[in-house]
Amino acid sequence: MITPPALAACIRMAAATYHVPSAAITAEISAPKPPDAVGIMGIPPAWLPELAGRGFDPAEVSNSACVNVRAGAMILSMTPGHNAAISSTADSIPAPIRAIVLEAVRLYDVAPARVVAVLHSFHPAGSLGPMGIPRAWVPTLAANGFDLSRLESDPGYAAAAGVWILGVERLGRMQTYSIPAARFSPIPPAWLLDIAAPIARQHGLPLALVLAVAAQESGFRPGIESPVGAVGLMQLMPATATRFGVSNRRDATQSLEGGAAYLEHLKSVFAGNLPLMLAAYNAGSKAVIDHGNRIPPFRETQNYVPAVLARYRYYQRMLGAREVVASATPATAKPAPPADHQSKVTTP
């Protein structure tokens, strides 16, 4: 059973994703439903094949309140013209990446037929992913918050990046790249919201910040391990996990507890300066202090901080939060503790 706070967060995220008023979703949840209606949104069973064709798992639509809300919000959002456009092209998108491509199409307002044409066109050797992204786009994607390792390893993520590029090209703003990559931040599953919300409150942190760090670090995948040995949702290094009482870094609750405790500590060290907190989470407190309480000149950290800030603002909007991002003005930091071994970057 989903908790009321988690359901409220799911409603806000679905409303923002599919551009539907939260009130409309709430009204559907509250409305009387026939006996055969599916889930809290009362989705007619006749919709299930259509939803499956758009990447929804019918079992999850039936059993997961959050997925049901998303499916219902998508149905509410569809106009006849857009419905026809997607229906006529969805079958041409390979099944393993169909859901993520269709979601990117909606988020970045790209014509589905255009995406299908690129998917099935000739891709030169060395290009990235199913959309054949030219390597020349890689620096731009990195600067806008895309994870380059996932571009190489995750076909669905690479396809979404290709749709983002088509959206940028459509707007004709090749120098501003005004469509934020953070818009394609993963939607937190209901189980994650259930455990992250009280942990964030306990450590005096915005829930949106904890989600942003988890999304950037692991894409909400509890079992992931990095090449440098960071593990879990919050990608804790062994020494950091030990320091904050985490015995199983692959356990989602423990990882969130440890990561939130570490962020709370960094909040104290850097007087609440959020960019410096994030830089220290990535590169270690000592690196930030050694560089004059500024973001260290490491490429990974320079990319990491704006990417997490973008995700933070995205999740603020999704959650209806009103927190203010801390100033980037240099802070007066407390001395870094000698046991700070969280750095995950290779310094020059």
Side-chain angles (χ1 to χ4, degrees), residues 50 57 114 124 158 181-182 264 307 333 344:
E50 181 76 12
D57 182 336
R114 172 67 175 136
E264 181 184 20
K344 300 185 285 260

Short mmCIF file of all heavy atoms in Angstrom, two decimals, residues 50 57 114 124 158 181-182 264 307 333 344:
data_model
loop_
_atom_site.label_atom_id
_atom_site.label_comp_id
_atom_site.label_asym_id
_atom_site.label_seq_id
_atom_site.Cartn_x
_atom_site.Cartn_y
_atom_site.Cartn_z
N GLU A 50 -2.98 -0.90 -25.26
CA GLU A 50 -2.42 0.37 -25.76
C GLU A 50 -1.27 0.82 -24.87
O GLU A 50 -0.22 1.26 -25.34
CB GLU A 50 -3.52 1.43 -25.79
CG GLU A 50 -3.06 2.79 -26.31
CD GLU A 50 -2.91 2.81 -27.82
OE1 GLU A 50 -3.36 1.86 -28.49
OE2 GLU A 50 -2.31 3.77 -28.32
N ASP A 57 4.24 -1.77 -18.38
CA ASP A 57 4.03 -3.17 -18.04
C ASP A 57 2.62 -3.30 -17.47
O ASP A 57 2.33 -2.71 -16.41
CB ASP A 57 5.07 -3.61 -17.01
CG ASP A 57 4.96 -5.08 -16.63
OD1 ASP A 57 3.86 -5.65 -16.78
OD2 ASP A 57 5.96 -5.63 -16.16
N ARG A 114 9.95 11.53 -36.79
CA ARG A 114 11.33 11.97 -36.96
C ARG A 114 12.28 11.03 -36.21
O ARG A 114 13.35 10.66 -36.72
CB ARG A 114 11.48 13.40 -36.44
CG ARG A 114 12.90 13.92 -36.38
CD ARG A 114 13.49 14.11 -37.75
NE ARG A 114 14.81 14.73 -37.69
CZ ARG A 114 15.85 14.33 -38.39
NH1 ARG A 114 15.75 13.33 -39.24
NH2 ARG A 114 17.00 14.95 -38.27
N PRO A 124 27.00 5.88 -39.17
CA PRO A 124 28.42 5.62 -39.45
C PRO A 124 29.11 4.93 -38.29
O PRO A 124 28.68 5.01 -37.14
CB PRO A 124 28.99 7.03 -39.69
CG PRO A 124 28.02 7.96 -39.07
CD PRO A 124 26.68 7.30 -39.12
N ALA A 158 20.97 6.15 -24.31
CA ALA A 158 21.56 6.77 -25.49
C ALA A 158 20.49 7.21 -26.48
O ALA A 158 20.60 8.27 -27.11
CB ALA A 158 22.54 5.80 -26.15
N ALA A 181 19.03 18.59 -19.79
CA ALA A 181 19.09 17.13 -19.74
C ALA A 181 18.43 16.60 -18.49
O ALA A 181 17.95 15.47 -18.47
CB ALA A 181 20.55 16.67 -19.78
N ALA A 182 18.38 17.42 -17.43
CA ALA A 182 17.77 16.97 -16.19
C ALA A 182 16.31 16.62 -16.36
O ALA A 182 15.73 15.90 -15.56
CB ALA A 182 17.91 18.04 -15.10
N GLU A 264 24.70 15.69 5.14
CA GLU A 264 24.47 16.53 6.32
C GLU A 264 25.80 17.01 6.91
O GLU A 264 25.95 18.17 7.30
CB GLU A 264 23.68 15.75 7.37
CG GLU A 264 23.37 16.55 8.62
CD GLU A 264 22.66 15.73 9.68
OE1 GLU A 264 22.74 14.48 9.63
OE2 GLU A 264 22.04 16.33 10.57
N ALA A 307 25.39 19.21 -13.06
CA ALA A 307 24.44 18.15 -13.39
C ALA A 307 23.53 17.84 -12.21
O ALA A 307 22.31 17.70 -12.36
CB ALA A 307 25.19 16.89 -13.84
N ALA A 333 34.90 27.30 5.13
CA ALA A 333 34.73 25.89 5.47
C ALA A 333 35.45 25.56 6.76
O ALA A 333 36.49 26.13 7.09
CB ALA A 333 35.26 25.01 4.35
N LYS A 344 35.89 10.14 -5.60
CA LYS A 344 35.70 9.13 -6.63
C LYS A 344 36.32 9.56 -7.94
O LYS A 344 36.03 8.98 -8.98
CB LYS A 344 34.19 8.85 -6.81
CG LYS A 344 33.51 8.34 -5.57
CD LYS A 344 32.07 7.98 -5.82
CE LYS A 344 31.21 9.19 -5.96
NZ LYS A 344 30.47 9.52 -4.74
#
